[in-house]
């Protein structure tokens, strides 16, 4: 698409070709609407991409987002996507030292193995039985709430009636989740494993009165109606490649290298100004769907921008020549790294790390979690790598808000990476550095991204992976029928910052498309 073309009117112009924008484009185009997608970068996918970050190494890593839970099967089915996920046989492994010896908690591999792992760690069945009761409750909530994500927003009271469990409602929607964690579990390590789902991408304490941690926890346990986090076959880019193909096949036009500068609207028709390498242009549309943050939307429309909620994560991608051996003699690295490998995530450790970061200091014991995509899906490794024992590792660090990197992003990144890997090394029988592969230039295959890096690369305000603080999945005073509406009648928010946004779900894209189709 050339910036010198005569402007054409579309039924919908979509700003941003991340996965939500592509979902909206595919739905609208399949419904017979004319659709133009404008993407600033030279490729589609946004944060849901697979890349080869290490020179000369044929390993496609899910560079930013990496697991799938919230993507409804309905969207995959509706759009006829050639996309699959695989379940992880192990949910998590958490190493710890008890009574002077290394051990750990393995969750997964069957009910009996999990029960035995709890008994070895805690000396009895109490914690396992509490675990079963607690996640039985969240599972019942998931089965009731997840189907509502692709329906018009329920009211708070309607969702409460649908859940039909006052204890669950109080636990998840009214009291800080730390209350339930402390009342339900006695073991510090078990408490920490439960709490981590409330903190991924969210900077909050277990008892934060805002309940930001509760909203994060809710979205982490309702995916698919089960809370399972699955591995995308072929990497996350396989999903967005399938979505782009579905949108194009249906007739949508996708223009990369087109940076949107401005949206002018009178509520009935709109003009979207953009810039390319060849100049500037304008596209006219009946509706504009913005797959960007509310902060970016405000900049495009000239509205007052909302206060950004800063991100708080360190994202590290690695390629190993082999999986490292563990100090825990009972742990198989192929199992331990297949699920979520928790590091320094005991309950007290998480509280200390949050308090230190809130005081403007890097956590002395930075918490993080790791998983190995290639154990579940070796297709992301090029010819010969899997056979030679190579594996990917993805690390997600917690409690590292963007403010900590303001003084010197590069220096703080290196300092934090060093201390984070030191926490991992404490549980390994050999240093991780000895297992890292090297690229074609002889450099270790490891890269780290801070919130400020994500803000620069992906325009996430404050590096927040959810675009803003997560919202409850029910109607608020100004949330509209689908949770995608803005103050401009024909401009909709279809990105992660919509109500029921966040994560790789496609839900905001679906809901924005439904809102358009209801009114045309």
């Amino acid at each position: 698409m050339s910036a010198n073309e005569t402007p054409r009117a579309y039924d919908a112009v979509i700003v941003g070709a991340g996965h939500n924008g592509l979902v909206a484009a595919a739905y609208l185009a399949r419904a017979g609407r004319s659709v133009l997608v404008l993407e600033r970068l030279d490729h589609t996918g946004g944060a849901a991409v697979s890349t080869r970050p290490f020179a000369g190494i044929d390993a496609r890593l899910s560079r930013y987002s990496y697991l799938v839970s919230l993507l409804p099967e309905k969207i995959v089915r509706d759009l006829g996507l050639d996309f699959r996920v695989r379940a992880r046989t192990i949910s998590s492994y958490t190493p710890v030292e008890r009574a002077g010896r290394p051990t750990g908690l393995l969750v997964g591999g069957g009910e009996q193995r999990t029960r035995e792992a709890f008994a070895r760690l805690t000396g009895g069945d109490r914690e396992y039985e509490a675990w079963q009761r607690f996640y039985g409750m969240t599972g019942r909530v998931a089965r009731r709430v997840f189907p509502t994500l692709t329906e018009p927003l329920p009211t708070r009271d309607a969702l409460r009636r649908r859940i039909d469990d006052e204890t669950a409602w109080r636990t998840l929607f009214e009291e800080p989740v730390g209350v339930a964690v402390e009342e339900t579990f006695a073991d510090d390590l078990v408490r920490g494993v439960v709490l981590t789902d409330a903190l991924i991408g969210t900077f909050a304490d277990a008892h934060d009165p805002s309940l930001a941690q509760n909203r994060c926890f809710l979205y982490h346990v309702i995916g698919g109606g089960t809370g399972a986090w699955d591995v995308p076959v072929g990497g996350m880019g396989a999903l967005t490649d399938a979505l782009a193909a579905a949108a194009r096949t249906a007739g949508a036009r996708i223009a990369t290298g087109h940076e949107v500068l401005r949206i002018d609207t009178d509520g009935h028709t709109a003009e979207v100004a953009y810039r390319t390498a060849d100049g500037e242009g304008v596209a006219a549309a009946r509706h504009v769907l913005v797959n960007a943050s509310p902060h970016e939307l405000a900049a495009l429309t000239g509205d007052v921008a909302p206060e950004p909620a800063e991100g708080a994560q360190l994202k590290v991608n690695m390629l190993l020549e082999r999986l490292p051996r563990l100090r825990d003699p009972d742990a198989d690295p192929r199992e331990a790294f297949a699920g979520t490998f928790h590091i320094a995530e005991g309950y007290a450790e998480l509280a200390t790390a949050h308090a230190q970061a809130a005081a403007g200091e890097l956590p002395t014991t930075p918490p993080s979690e790791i998983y190995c995509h290639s154990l579940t899906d070796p297709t992301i490794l090029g010819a010969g790598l899997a056979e030679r024992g190579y594996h990917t590792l993805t690390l997600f660090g917690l409690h590292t808000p963007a403010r900590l990197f303001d003084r010197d992003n590069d220096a703080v990144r290196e300092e934090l990476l060093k201390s984070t890997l030191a926490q991992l090394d404490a549980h390994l029988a050999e240093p991780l550095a000895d297992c890292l592969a090297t690229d074609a230039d002889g450099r270790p295959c490891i890269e780290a991204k801070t919130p400020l890096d994500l803000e620069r690369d992906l325009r996430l305000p404050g590096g927040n992976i959810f675009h803003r603080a997560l919202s409850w999945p029910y109607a608020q005073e100004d949330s509209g029928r689908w949770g995608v509406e803005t103050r401009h009648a024909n401009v909709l928010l279809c990105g992660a910052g919509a109500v029921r946004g966040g994560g790789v779900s496609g839900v905001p894209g679906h809901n924005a498309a439904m809102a358009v189709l209801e009114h045309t």
Side-chain angles (χ1 to χ4, degrees):
M1 178 178 175
S2 168
N4 297 318
E5 289 183 17
T6 301
R8 173 187 166 187
Y10 292 85
D11 291 319
V13 169
I14 298 175
V15 180
H19 82 283
N20 277 308
L22 295 172
V23 167
Y27 269 105
L28 292 174
R30 286 168 67 92
R33 305 306 193 267
S34 58
V35 179
L36 171 66
V37 183
L38 300 174
E39 167 57 48
R40 173 178 63 92
L41 301 175
D42 63 0
H43 59 270
T44 61
V49 292
S50 298
T51 58
R52 294 178 176 83
F54 307 122
I57 303 292
D58 186 14
R60 286 172 50 82
L61 280 70
S62 298
R63 195 168 204 173
Y64 302 108
S65 57
Y66 48 94
L67 289 171
V68 175
S69 176
L70 290 163
L71 174 67
E73 177 61 30
K74 167 184 167 55
I75 292 177
V76 176
R77 185 177 59 250
D78 285 351
L79 301 181
L81 301 181
D82 181 14
F83 173 72
R84 295 174 295 120
V85 296
R86 289 180 185 161
R88 300 185 295 173
T89 57
I90 300 298
S91 174
S92 69
Y93 169 75
T94 308
V96 69
E97 188 167 298
R98 292 278 170 94
R101 63 178 294 273
T103 184
L105 177 62
L106 185 78
V107 179
E111 181 177 345
Q112 186 59 33
R113 286 194 67 194
T114 302
R115 179 185 288 274
E116 291 171 354
F118 271 89
R120 281 196 303 272
L121 181 76
T122 65
D125 287 338
R126 181 198 180 281
E127 291 295 86
Y128 176 75
E129 291 170 356
W131 179 280
Q132 291 292 88
R133 288 194 304 273
F134 185 80
Y135 284 104
M137 176 269 291
T138 65
R140 291 190 296 274
V141 170
R143 290 190 292 275
R144 288 165 171 79
V145 173
F146 188 70
T148 71
L149 299 188
T150 50
E151 299 171 357
L153 274 170
T155 64
R156 185 177 187 273
D157 288 343
L159 189 64
R160 187 173 188 168
R161 288 193 300 271
R162 186 158 181 162
I163 291 173
D164 193 26
D165 182 334
E166 285 303 305
T167 299
W169 181 266
R170 183 181 68 254
T171 298
L172 299 176
F173 291 83
E174 293 186 346
E175 293 179 344
V177 72
V179 173
V181 171
E182 292 171 16
E183 289 179 350
T184 306
F185 304 101
D187 187 89
D188 180 85
L189 189 75
V190 176
R191 286 178 171 181
V193 172
V194 175
L195 183 63
T196 56
D197 277 339
L199 305 178
I200 302 296
T202 297
F203 184 59
D205 180 71
H207 292 276
D208 194 309
S210 75
L211 302 188
Q213 74 281 23
N214 286 50
R215 297 191 294 276
C216 184
F217 185 82
L218 182 69
Y219 284 105
H220 275 87
V221 299
I222 64 172
T226 66
W229 286 82
D230 295 328
V231 176
V233 176
M236 196 61 79
L239 171 60
T240 44
D241 287 349
L243 285 168
R248 288 190 175 104
T249 298
R253 191 178 188 187
I254 301 176
T256 58
H258 285 59
E259 180 178 8
V260 173
L261 305 174
R262 187 180 67 258
I263 299 170
D264 296 316
T265 180
D266 61 7
H268 301 285
T269 60
E271 289 189 342
V272 181
Y274 59 86
R275 176 172 55 216
T276 73
D278 299 324
E280 296 187 357
V282 175
R286 296 178 64 190
H287 290 89
V288 180
L289 284 64
V290 179
N291 182 29
S293 69
H295 197 271
E296 187 75 8
L297 169 63
L300 294 175
T301 57
D303 295 330
V304 176
E307 191 69 27
E310 64 182 338
Q313 68 285 318
L314 178 73
K315 179 67 164 46
V316 184
N317 293 312
M318 294 170 269
L319 182 69
L320 309 183
E321 291 183 342
R322 67 182 186 280
L323 290 175
R325 292 176 288 110
L326 302 173
R327 291 185 62 221
D328 178 359
D330 298 321
D332 179 351
R334 294 184 63 85
E335 288 191 325
F337 287 106
T340 300
F341 189 113
H342 296 279
I343 306 164
E345 291 189 333
Y347 196 68
E349 288 174 313
L350 288 168
T352 298
H354 178 268
Q356 289 176 328
E361 305 168 1
L362 280 177
T364 53
T365 307
S368 63
E369 42 199 60
I370 290 177
Y371 103 107
C372 175
H373 184 123
S374 53
L375 281 169
T376 304
D377 169 34
T379 68
I380 64 169
L381 298 177
L385 291 181
E387 289 78 4
R388 289 154 58 192
Y390 279 57
H391 281 290
T392 64
L393 280 189
T394 293
L395 181 148
F396 192 97
L398 281 64
H399 286 337
T400 54
R403 71 191 82 161
L404 300 181
F405 301 88
D406 284 340
R407 62 179 172 86
D408 189 331
N409 185 51
D410 292 343
V412 177
R413 184 200 304 112
E414 291 307 308
E415 180 183 351
L416 179 61
L417 178 61
K418 181 178 179 180
S419 59
T420 298
L421 295 182
Q423 295 303 313
L424 171 60
D425 277 348
H427 300 288
L428 302 181
E430 56 184 324
L432 182 71
D434 289 355
C435 302
L436 284 172
T438 54
D439 67 13
D441 299 318
R443 295 172 299 196
C445 291
I446 182 169
E447 67 166 12
K449 301 284 187 180
T450 72
L452 298 190
D453 295 327
L454 297 185
E455 183 172 50
R456 178 198 65 220
D457 296 344
L458 300 174
R459 294 194 177 173
L460 302 180
N464 192 311
I465 60 175
F466 305 133
H467 290 192
R468 64 175 170 183
L470 290 167
S471 59
W472 295 113
Y474 53 69
Q476 305 285 328
E477 182 178 345
D478 58 351
S479 55
R481 174 171 162 78
W482 286 95
V484 298
E485 293 82 353
T486 74
R487 77 179 194 89
H488 305 283
N490 63 338
V491 178
L492 303 176
L493 187 65
C494 72
V499 178
R500 303 180 291 189
V504 177
S505 72
V507 167
H510 168 277
N511 292 345
M514 296 305 106
V516 170
L517 295 175
E518 276 190 348
H519 291 92
T520 57

